[in-house]
């Protein structure tokens, strides 16, 4: 079976085309600047690269060119578009309705549309991508894999905010969590690598990218995660503040005469390590480099970043009454030995964690990085959301089911 995985953002589309009999990526690429001047697609197949630079007014037009590349004789993965068996879509918000991946029909489409009020920046482009694929590949099934679904079975004690209950009733204000596909993939891989029973394990997955989140995964289920109603809650991120006292919002609005939109922009786009370094950088590579050279501002930002991660890990050990393994993933988690070591040894010594410096000194490779006698295993597991989406898509189509329960 051949599956095209599509991840539509507001002006970009990431895609991968996979042969699911071998789980091999046949080709992949990124379309950028859709709907704005300078649209282009960078497409790759085994060391070969093709660049398409022409105007793409919307997602449908961009996907039309993507399909041409996928069926291209030289850089494509199939001879004929008829050989594409299914399309898997990353969809950000599945609200309370979706606790697993689903085959998309009209009812699912309207539910995704309905949840746009919870993810106004993300669900609308996801919908555009689904509609475009339905038009461009008629008769080919489409599957939605939600960022929120893996967390949808968190207990109410983890997802309810202590605000008047009527706001939950009226608007479904609660914690949803995101990065679910990554947390699911990484936790499953962790259990496989360690040879432990996923359904009887306590795993903490630490996804550190531009956006970051942590999840407590007990017996194969996410029981808590650091992102909440929106991706703003939780860890200190590249440009997002993470946890803060909500009074800061009203204080800024009053003192600075800011609108809600302005405060939203500050907390989402100008905070995190970018804010802490007074606008220097949101990229942890820059922060680490300056910190290593003794820059006090970047050292403090790094310290705050790592301290927050460690506090969350500590709280999830409490939430699960123990932990078997901690797995680091995504841009920073996969590529920063400094952060992994600082979080684990600097702050988590009480857990009996011991990092093997030699094993930790690696980037982007799946492996255990703790010493054999470390009480808690620590791993580096590169995430692979596309593969997870393709696997779910394949399973739904092959089994002829409507919804997959995790
Ligand atoms: P996204 O959330 O956009 O998918 P990624 O998972 O690609 O983000 O992570 C991007 C971040 O990873 C960058 O902003 C950068 O801070 C971090 N990163 C990448 N390589 C390194 C590295 N070698 N050392 C430290 N941080 C890194």
């Amino acid at each position: 079976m051949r599956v095209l995985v599509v991840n539509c953002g507001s002006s970009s589309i990431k895609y991968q085309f996979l042969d699911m009999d071998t789980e091999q990526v046949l080709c992949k690429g990124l379309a950028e600047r859709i709907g704005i001047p300078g649209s282009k697609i960078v497409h790759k197949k085994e060391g070969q690269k093709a660049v398409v630079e022409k105007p793409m007014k919307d997602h449908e037009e961009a996907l039309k060119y993507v399909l041409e590349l996928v069926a291209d004789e030289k850089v494509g993965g199939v001879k004929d578009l008829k050989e594409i068996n299914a399309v898997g879509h990353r969809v950000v918000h599945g609200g309370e309705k979706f606790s697993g991946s689903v085959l998309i029909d009209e009812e699912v489409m309207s539910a995704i549309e309905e949840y746009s009020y919870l993810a106004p920046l993300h669900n609308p482009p996801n919908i555009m991508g689904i509609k475009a694929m339905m038009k461009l590949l008629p008769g080919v099934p489409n599957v939605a894999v939600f960022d929120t679904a893996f967390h949808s079975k968190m207990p109410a004690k983890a997802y309810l905010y202590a605000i008047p209950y009527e706001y939950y009733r009226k608007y479904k204000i609660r914690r949803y969590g995101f990065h679910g596909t990554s947390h699911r993939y990484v936790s499953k891989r962790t259990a496989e690598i360690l040879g432990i029973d996923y359904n009887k394990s306590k795993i903490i997955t630490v996804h550190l990218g531009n956006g970051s989140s942590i999840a407590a995964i007990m017996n194969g289920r996410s029981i808590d995660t650091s992102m909440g109603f929106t991706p703003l809650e939780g860890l200190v991120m590249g440009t997002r503040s993470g946890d803060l006292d909500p009074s800061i919002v009203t204080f800024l609005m009053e003192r600075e005469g800011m609108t809600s939109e302005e405060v939203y922009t500050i907390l989402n786009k100008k905070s995190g390590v970018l804010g802490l370094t007074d606008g220097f950088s949101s990229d942890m590579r820059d922060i680490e480099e300056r910190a290593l050279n003794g820059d006090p501002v970047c050292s403090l930002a790094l310290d705050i970043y790592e301290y927050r991660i460690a506090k969350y890990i500590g709280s999830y050990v409490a939430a699960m009454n123990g932990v078997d393994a901690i797995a680091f993933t995504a841009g920073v988690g996969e590529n920063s030995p400094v952060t992994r070591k600082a979080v684990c040894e600097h702050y988590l010594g009480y857990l009996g964690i011991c990092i093997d410096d030699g094993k930790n000194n690696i980037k982007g490779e799946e492996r255990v990085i703790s010493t054999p006698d470390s009480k808690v295993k620590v791993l580096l597991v590169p995430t692979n959301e596309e593969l997870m989406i393709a696997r779910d898509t394949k399973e739904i189509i092959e089994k002829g089911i409507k919804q997959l329960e995790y």
Side-chain angles (χ1 to χ4, degrees):
M1 171 175 289
R2 293 192 177 106
V3 177
L4 179 64
V5 174
V6 177
N7 179 355
C8 291
S10 56
S11 66
S12 71
I13 301 173
K14 262 197 249 171
Y15 63 92
Q16 263 191 25
F17 187 50
L18 297 102
D19 178 341
M20 288 311 289
D21 299 327
T22 58
E23 294 200 335
Q24 257 194 320
V25 178
L26 300 171
C27 55
K28 62 182 181 182
L30 174 67
E32 283 179 298
R33 303 183 63 87
I34 299 164
I36 42 181
S39 311
K40 75 168 178 184
I41 303 175
V42 177
H43 177 93
K44 289 179 184 159
K45 179 194 180 174
E46 280 170 7
Q48 294 184 76
K49 193 166 140 183
V51 180
V52 173
E53 281 175 298
K54 49 183 161 186
M56 297 169 206
K57 65 175 187 306
D58 55 20
H59 286 62
E60 188 183 323
E61 192 167 17
L63 284 167
K64 191 178 96 181
Y65 297 135
V66 166
L67 289 177
E68 281 173 12
L69 288 162
V70 167
D72 185 87
E73 220 174 286
K74 266 198 194 148
V75 293
V78 280
K79 288 203 185 84
D80 195 303
L81 290 179
K82 287 198 185 90
E83 290 170 54
I84 299 177
N85 302 100
V87 184
H89 297 263
R90 176 200 180 208
V91 179
V92 168
H93 219 303
E96 285 191 323
K97 189 179 171 75
F98 298 109
S99 52
S101 306
V102 284
L103 184 69
I104 302 174
D105 57 16
E106 264 177 42
E107 190 195 328
V108 170
M109 274 299 271
S110 30
I112 298 173
E113 267 164 10
E114 187 192 322
Y115 293 130
S116 287
Y117 85 100
L118 292 171
L121 300 178
H122 295 103
N123 274 27
N126 297 156
I127 293 162
M128 283 192 257
I130 297 168
K131 285 188 173 161
M133 292 316 296
M134 285 175 162
K135 208 162 152 192
L136 296 165
L137 294 176
V140 174
N142 289 272
V143 165
V145 180
F146 300 95
D147 259 30
T148 50
F150 185 50
H151 305 299
S152 70
K153 289 176 184 148
M154 283 193 288
K157 68 182 172 193
Y159 73 66
L160 273 186
Y161 290 109
I163 59 173
Y165 194 77
E166 66 168 301
Y167 300 123
Y168 171 63
R169 233 183 351 248
K170 252 194 198 165
Y171 306 113
K172 292 286 173 212
I173 294 180
R174 50 161 281 179
R175 309 184 63 257
Y176 290 97
F178 300 88
H179 291 143
T181 310
S182 175
H183 288 296
R184 187 160 60 103
Y185 174 83
V186 171
S187 57
K188 278 193 168 177
R189 265 317 283 151
T190 297
E192 278 165 18
I193 295 164
L194 296 176
I196 57 175
D197 184 349
Y198 186 50
N199 296 319
K200 284 187 192 141
S201 63
K202 295 173 180 176
I203 298 171
I204 296 174
T205 44
V206 189
H207 178 115
L208 304 174
N210 280 318
S212 301
S213 67
I214 299 202
I217 298 151
M218 192 158 145
N219 304 332
R221 290 236 171 126
S222 168
I223 62 142
D224 209 340
T225 189
S226 57
M227 283 180 168
F229 179 57
T230 73
L232 184 56
E233 193 179 344
L235 300 176
V236 174
M237 309 180 210
T239 62
R240 293 189 190 119
S241 63
D243 295 339
L244 47 74
D245 182 340
S247 307
I248 295 168
V249 173
T250 45
F251 182 91
L252 283 177
M253 289 175 85
E254 279 164 24
R255 285 295 174 103
E256 297 265 319
M258 283 180 185
T259 61
S260 58
E261 211 177 314
E262 284 167 334
V263 182
Y264 176 94
T265 303
I266 285 177
L267 298 181
N268 278 281
K269 309 249 187 239
K270 296 187 176 168
S271 298
V273 291
L274 178 70
L276 283 169
T277 57
D278 220 2
F280 163 60
S281 179
S282 64
D283 193 307
M284 291 311 286
R285 281 168 289 205
D286 301 335
I287 313 284
E288 266 184 27
E289 194 189 319
R290 281 214 183 168
L292 287 173
N293 288 326
D295 180 289
V297 173
C298 287
S299 295
L300 180 59
L302 197 58
D303 217 12
I304 294 169
Y305 178 85
E306 292 160 354
Y307 179 61
R308 182 82 57 90
I309 299 168
K311 282 209 294 186
Y312 262 97
I313 293 177
S315 71
Y316 287 171
V317 172
M320 297 194 288
N321 195 17
V323 60
D324 299 316
I326 299 170
F328 287 88
T329 195
V332 185
E334 290 169 25
N335 295 302
S336 173
V338 173
T339 298
R340 292 192 297 260
K341 187 171 164 73
V343 168
C344 290
E345 287 205 327
H346 195 158
Y347 298 109
L348 299 175
Y350 72 97
L351 287 175
I353 288 178
C354 193
I355 298 291
D356 181 321
D357 288 337
K359 288 182 186 156
N360 183 40
N361 196 14
I362 193 87
K363 293 181 178 183
E365 199 178 285
E366 196 175 86
R367 60 160 65 173
V368 176
I369 57 166
S370 49
T371 57
D373 58 350
S374 178
K375 285 199 188 123
V376 177
K377 301 293 168 213
V378 183
L379 295 89
L380 189 176
V381 180
T383 194
N384 197 340
E385 291 160 277
E386 291 82 5
L387 179 59
M388 204 78 222
I389 293 172
R391 280 184 183 161
D392 283 6
T393 304
K394 179 182 179 219
E395 196 173 338
I396 285 179
I397 305 304
E398 278 187 353
K399 290 187 176 161
I401 51 177
K402 204 175 158 202
Q403 178 159 334
L404 193 67
E405 286 303 329
Y406 303 148

